[in-house]
Amino acid sequence: MLVHIPNVLTAEDLAYCRKTLEESEWVDGKVTAGDQSAKAKHNLQIPQKSEVALELGDVILRALGQSALFTTVALPLRVFPPLFNRYDAGMQFRSHVDNAIRPLPETNFRIRTDVSSTLFLSDPEEYDGGELIIEDTYGSHSVKLPAGDLVLYPATSLHHVAPVTRGSRWASFFWTQSMVREDAKRTLLYNFDCSIIEVRKNLSDDHPAVLGLTATYHNLVREWAEL
Ligand SMILES: O=C(O)CCC(=O)C(=O)O
Ligand SMILES: [Fe+2]
Protein backbone atom coordinates (compact mmCIF):
# COMPACT_ATOMS: atom_id res chain seq x y z
CA MET A 1 0.00 0.00 0.00
CA LEU A 2 1.24 3.43 -0.94
CA VAL A 3 0.22 6.20 1.46
CA HIS A 4 0.81 9.96 1.32
CA ILE A 5 1.07 11.73 4.69
CA PRO A 6 0.90 15.53 4.32
CA ASN A 7 2.69 18.03 6.58
CA VAL A 8 4.83 15.63 8.58
CA LEU A 9 7.28 18.49 9.14
CA THR A 10 6.18 21.89 10.41
CA ALA A 11 7.29 24.94 8.39
CA GLU A 12 9.88 25.69 11.13
CA ASP A 13 11.34 22.17 11.12
CA LEU A 14 11.45 22.17 7.32
CA ALA A 15 13.24 25.52 7.19
CA TYR A 16 15.71 24.33 9.84
CA CYS A 17 16.45 21.08 7.95
CA ARG A 18 16.99 22.93 4.68
CA LYS A 19 19.22 25.60 6.18
CA THR A 20 21.35 22.99 7.96
CA LEU A 21 21.64 20.87 4.80
CA GLU A 22 22.67 23.93 2.77
CA GLU A 23 25.67 24.34 5.06
CA SER A 24 26.59 20.64 5.05
CA GLU A 25 29.01 18.53 3.07
CA TRP A 26 27.50 16.02 0.62
CA VAL A 27 29.19 12.80 -0.55
CA ASP A 28 28.53 10.24 -3.30
CA GLY A 29 25.32 8.33 -2.49
CA LYS A 30 26.85 4.97 -3.38
CA VAL A 31 28.21 4.75 0.21
CA THR A 32 24.96 3.23 1.55
CA ALA A 33 24.02 1.22 -1.55
CA GLY A 34 24.22 -2.53 -2.09
CA ASP A 35 26.06 -4.07 -5.06
CA GLN A 36 23.31 -3.85 -7.67
CA SER A 37 21.90 -0.53 -6.51
CA ALA A 38 25.34 1.15 -6.41
CA LYS A 39 25.44 0.84 -10.19
CA ALA A 40 21.95 2.33 -10.45
CA LYS A 41 22.52 5.17 -8.00
CA HIS A 42 23.71 8.62 -9.04
CA ASN A 43 23.04 11.11 -6.27
CA LEU A 44 24.56 12.80 -3.23
CA GLN A 45 24.03 12.09 0.46
CA ILE A 46 24.91 13.46 3.86
CA PRO A 47 27.31 10.95 5.49
CA GLN A 48 25.28 8.50 7.55
CA LYS A 49 27.15 8.95 10.84
CA SER A 50 27.67 12.71 10.61
CA GLU A 51 26.34 14.96 13.35
CA VAL A 52 24.08 16.67 10.82
CA ALA A 53 22.42 13.39 9.79
CA LEU A 54 21.91 12.39 13.43
CA GLU A 55 20.55 15.78 14.47
CA LEU A 56 18.17 16.22 11.53
CA GLY A 57 17.25 12.53 11.74
CA ASP A 58 16.05 13.17 15.29
CA VAL A 59 13.92 16.10 14.08
CA ILE A 60 12.25 13.72 11.63
CA LEU A 61 11.84 10.87 14.13
CA ARG A 62 10.20 13.30 16.56
CA ALA A 63 7.81 14.45 13.83
CA LEU A 64 6.97 10.84 12.93
CA GLY A 65 6.24 10.13 16.59
CA GLN A 66 3.51 12.78 16.44
CA SER A 67 1.92 11.39 13.30
CA ALA A 68 -0.98 9.06 14.12
CA LEU A 69 -1.22 8.23 10.42
CA PHE A 70 2.42 7.06 10.27
CA THR A 71 1.79 4.78 13.26
CA THR A 72 -1.38 3.25 11.88
CA VAL A 73 0.06 2.74 8.38
CA ALA A 74 3.55 1.49 9.29
CA LEU A 75 2.86 -0.15 12.69
CA PRO A 76 6.53 0.58 13.43
CA LEU A 77 8.75 -1.62 15.55
CA ARG A 78 12.04 0.10 14.65
CA VAL A 79 12.80 3.04 12.38
CA PHE A 80 16.20 3.29 10.71
CA PRO A 81 17.90 6.65 11.44
CA PRO A 82 16.78 8.88 8.54
CA LEU A 83 19.28 9.58 5.75
CA PHE A 84 19.38 12.60 3.43
CA ASN A 85 19.82 12.63 -0.32
CA ARG A 86 20.00 15.13 -3.13
CA TYR A 87 19.68 14.86 -6.90
CA ASP A 88 21.09 17.76 -8.91
CA ALA A 89 20.41 18.11 -12.65
CA GLY A 90 21.51 14.93 -14.44
CA MET A 91 21.25 12.71 -11.33
CA GLN A 92 18.87 9.77 -10.89
CA PHE A 93 18.45 6.42 -9.14
CA ARG A 94 17.58 3.65 -11.60
CA SER A 95 15.27 0.76 -10.81
CA HIS A 96 16.13 -1.21 -7.65
CA VAL A 97 14.74 -2.88 -4.55
CA ASP A 98 16.06 -1.71 -1.19
CA ASN A 99 18.29 -4.08 0.81
CA ALA A 100 16.19 -6.41 2.96
CA ILE A 101 18.36 -6.15 6.07
CA ARG A 102 20.27 -3.09 7.29
CA PRO A 103 22.70 -2.90 10.22
CA LEU A 104 21.77 -0.16 12.66
CA PRO A 105 24.83 2.10 12.95
CA GLU A 106 26.87 1.80 16.17
CA THR A 107 24.85 -1.18 17.47
CA ASN A 108 24.70 -4.95 17.04
CA PHE A 109 21.10 -4.64 15.84
CA ARG A 110 19.85 -5.07 12.32
CA ILE A 111 16.46 -4.14 10.97
CA ARG A 112 14.35 -5.83 8.33
CA THR A 113 13.18 -3.17 5.92
CA ASP A 114 9.41 -3.67 5.55
CA VAL A 115 8.34 -0.11 4.69
CA SER A 116 10.33 2.41 2.65
CA SER A 117 9.74 6.15 3.05
CA THR A 118 10.69 9.37 1.32
CA LEU A 119 10.12 12.70 3.07
CA PHE A 120 10.33 15.45 0.46
CA LEU A 121 12.40 18.50 1.46
CA SER A 122 12.10 20.39 -1.87
CA ASP A 123 8.87 21.70 -3.36
CA PRO A 124 7.84 20.36 -6.79
CA GLU A 125 8.39 23.81 -8.39
CA GLU A 126 12.08 23.74 -7.42
CA TYR A 127 13.01 21.00 -9.89
CA ASP A 128 11.88 19.18 -13.03
CA GLY A 129 11.89 15.38 -13.22
CA GLY A 130 12.91 13.62 -9.99
CA GLU A 131 9.62 11.75 -9.59
CA LEU A 132 9.76 8.70 -7.33
CA ILE A 133 8.23 5.94 -9.47
CA ILE A 134 6.94 2.91 -7.54
CA GLU A 135 5.84 -0.31 -9.23
CA ASP A 136 3.14 -2.54 -7.82
CA THR A 137 0.70 -5.11 -9.17
CA TYR A 138 -1.55 -2.25 -10.37
CA GLY A 139 1.21 -0.55 -12.40
CA SER A 140 3.53 2.42 -11.86
CA HIS A 141 2.82 5.24 -9.45
CA SER A 142 4.57 8.57 -9.85
CA VAL A 143 5.12 10.50 -6.62
CA LYS A 144 6.25 14.12 -6.32
CA LEU A 145 5.06 15.79 -3.13
CA PRO A 146 5.22 19.19 -1.44
CA ALA A 147 8.17 19.76 0.90
CA GLY A 148 7.35 18.36 4.35
CA ASP A 149 5.16 15.53 2.99
CA LEU A 150 5.95 11.83 3.30
CA VAL A 151 5.25 8.82 1.12
CA LEU A 152 5.33 5.26 2.50
CA TYR A 153 5.42 2.18 0.29
CA PRO A 154 6.22 -1.52 0.69
CA ALA A 155 9.98 -2.07 0.67
CA THR A 156 9.34 -5.09 -1.55
CA SER A 157 8.51 -2.71 -4.46
CA LEU A 158 10.78 -2.01 -7.41
CA HIS A 159 11.23 1.75 -7.59
CA HIS A 160 13.37 4.46 -9.13
CA VAL A 161 13.93 8.20 -9.07
CA ALA A 162 13.58 9.74 -12.55
CA PRO A 163 16.44 11.95 -13.75
CA VAL A 164 16.30 15.53 -12.47
CA THR A 165 16.50 17.85 -15.48
CA ARG A 166 16.41 21.24 -13.69
CA GLY A 167 17.09 22.41 -10.15
CA SER A 168 17.75 20.12 -7.21
CA ARG A 169 15.60 17.58 -5.35
CA TRP A 170 16.35 17.12 -1.63
CA ALA A 171 14.76 14.47 0.55
CA SER A 172 15.11 12.34 3.62
CA PHE A 173 14.66 8.59 3.21
CA PHE A 174 14.50 5.77 5.72
CA TRP A 175 13.12 2.32 6.40
CA THR A 176 10.83 0.90 9.04
CA GLN A 177 10.68 -2.60 10.43
CA SER A 178 7.00 -3.10 11.02
CA MET A 179 5.40 -5.21 13.73
CA VAL A 180 3.43 -6.68 10.81
CA ARG A 181 5.78 -7.92 8.11
CA GLU A 182 3.32 -8.45 5.23
CA ASP A 183 2.04 -5.50 3.26
CA ALA A 184 -1.32 -7.24 2.66
CA LYS A 185 -1.91 -7.60 6.41
CA ARG A 186 -0.82 -4.02 7.14
CA THR A 187 -3.23 -2.85 4.43
CA LEU A 188 -6.12 -4.79 5.99
CA LEU A 189 -5.37 -3.33 9.42
CA TYR A 190 -5.08 0.19 8.04
CA ASN A 191 -8.40 -0.07 6.17
CA PHE A 192 -10.01 -1.59 9.27
CA ASP A 193 -8.69 1.26 11.44
CA CYS A 194 -9.97 3.91 8.99
CA SER A 195 -13.41 2.29 9.01
CA ILE A 196 -13.51 2.25 12.81
CA ILE A 197 -12.66 5.96 12.82
CA GLU A 198 -15.60 6.57 10.42
CA VAL A 199 -18.00 4.47 12.52
CA ARG A 200 -16.98 6.35 15.69
CA LYS A 201 -18.11 9.61 14.10
CA ASN A 202 -21.69 8.33 14.23
CA LEU A 203 -21.79 5.93 17.16
CA SER A 204 -20.81 6.35 20.81
CA ASP A 205 -17.61 4.68 22.00
CA ASP A 206 -19.57 2.23 24.15
CA HIS A 207 -21.87 1.17 21.29
CA PRO A 208 -21.58 -2.64 20.89
CA ALA A 209 -20.55 -2.25 17.23
CA VAL A 210 -17.68 0.10 18.14
CA LEU A 211 -16.60 -2.20 20.98
CA GLY A 212 -16.72 -5.27 18.74
CA LEU A 213 -14.84 -3.69 15.84
CA THR A 214 -12.19 -2.20 18.14
CA ALA A 215 -11.72 -5.53 19.91
CA THR A 216 -11.34 -7.31 16.58
CA TYR A 217 -8.77 -4.73 15.37
CA HIS A 218 -6.64 -5.26 18.47
CA ASN A 219 -7.05 -9.02 18.35
CA LEU A 220 -5.87 -9.07 14.73
CA VAL A 221 -2.81 -7.00 15.69
CA ARG A 222 -2.21 -9.46 18.55
CA GLU A 223 -2.46 -12.33 16.08
CA TRP A 224 -0.11 -10.84 13.49
CA ALA A 225 2.38 -8.64 15.37
CA GLU A 226 5.98 -9.84 15.79
CA LEU A 227 7.91 -7.93 18.48
O1 LIG B 1 15.06 9.57 -3.11
C1 LIG B 1 14.10 8.81 -3.03
O2 LIG B 1 12.93 9.21 -3.08
C2 LIG B 1 14.30 7.32 -2.87
C3 LIG B 1 15.71 6.93 -2.62
C4 LIG B 1 15.87 5.45 -2.74
O3 LIG B 1 15.14 4.76 -3.38
C5 LIG B 1 16.98 4.80 -1.99
O4 LIG B 1 17.88 5.49 -1.49
O5 LIG B 1 16.97 3.56 -1.91
FE1 LIG C 1 15.36 2.74 -2.85
Side-chain angles (χ1 to χ4, degrees):
M1 158 183 59
L2 193 156
V3 177
H4 168 192
I5 305 186
N7 300 317
V8 167
L9 288 186
T10 61
E12 294 76 45
D13 281 348
L14 177 62
Y16 181 71
C17 287
R18 287 183 52 133
K19 183 173 178 300
T20 308
L21 291 174
E22 266 162 29
E23 294 161 358
S24 304
E25 195 200 324
W26 296 80
V27 299
D28 191 324
K30 292 188 202 304
V31 286
T32 56
D35 234 23
Q36 184 274 335
S37 57
K39 296 190 187 102
K41 189 171 185 182
H42 304 278
N43 68 1
L44 299 170
Q45 279 180 204
I46 297 293
Q48 187 172 7
K49 293 175 191 163
S50 64
E51 269 184 36
V52 171
L54 296 175
E55 190 206 340
L56 297 186
D58 280 348
V59 171
I60 290 171
L61 291 176
R62 222 180 319 114
L64 291 176
Q66 298 189 346
S67 169
L69 194 48
F70 176 76
T71 302
T72 186
V73 171
L75 296 164
L77 178 63
R78 295 193 188 104
V79 181
F80 193 84
L83 297 168
F84 297 86
N85 67 15
R86 160 179 173 176
Y87 302 77
D88 292 341
M91 295 182 181
Q92 63 176 312
F93 196 164
R94 293 200 186 88
S95 197
H96 67 281
V97 166
D98 295 336
N99 285 1
I101 308 290
R102 290 214 162 240
L104 281 174
E106 314 298 335
T107 72
N108 291 326
F109 283 104
R110 291 170 292 175
I111 76 160
R112 186 186 64 230
T113 58
D114 296 319
V115 180
S116 297
S117 300
T118 295
L119 175 60
F120 288 76
L121 298 175
S122 303
D123 271 315
E125 304 76 45
E126 296 179 79
Y127 58 98
D128 290 331
E131 295 83 3
L132 172 63
I133 314 278
I134 300 160
E135 315 284 342
D136 69 13
T137 46
Y138 299 106
S140 291
H141 306 272
S142 176
V143 182
K144 189 170 188 174
L145 301 178
D149 286 16
L150 179 74
V151 63
L152 288 83
Y153 56 101
T156 47
S157 324
L158 265 180
H159 58 281
H160 69 274
V161 177
V164 167
T165 56
R166 177 191 62 87
S168 186
R169 172 203 194 266
W170 296 16
S172 173
F173 64 103
F174 55 90
W175 298 275
T176 302
Q177 178 168 342
S178 177
M179 291 183 283
V180 176
R181 174 198 299 237
E182 272 178 58
D183 179 55
K185 288 181 178 162
R186 285 195 306 273
T187 305
L188 276 173
L189 289 171
Y190 173 59
N191 289 336
F192 200 156
D193 198 18
C194 290
S195 298
I196 292 174
I197 290 168
E198 282 307 308
V199 167
R200 288 177 65 199
K201 287 181 186 163
N202 296 307
L203 298 178
S204 68
D205 276 354
D206 58 1
H207 191 287
V210 174
L211 284 173
L213 290 169
T214 306
T216 303
Y217 174 83
H218 284 288
N219 290 335
L220 278 175
V221 173
R222 206 184 323 276
E223 194 68 26
W224 289 341
E226 307 160 77
L227 306 183

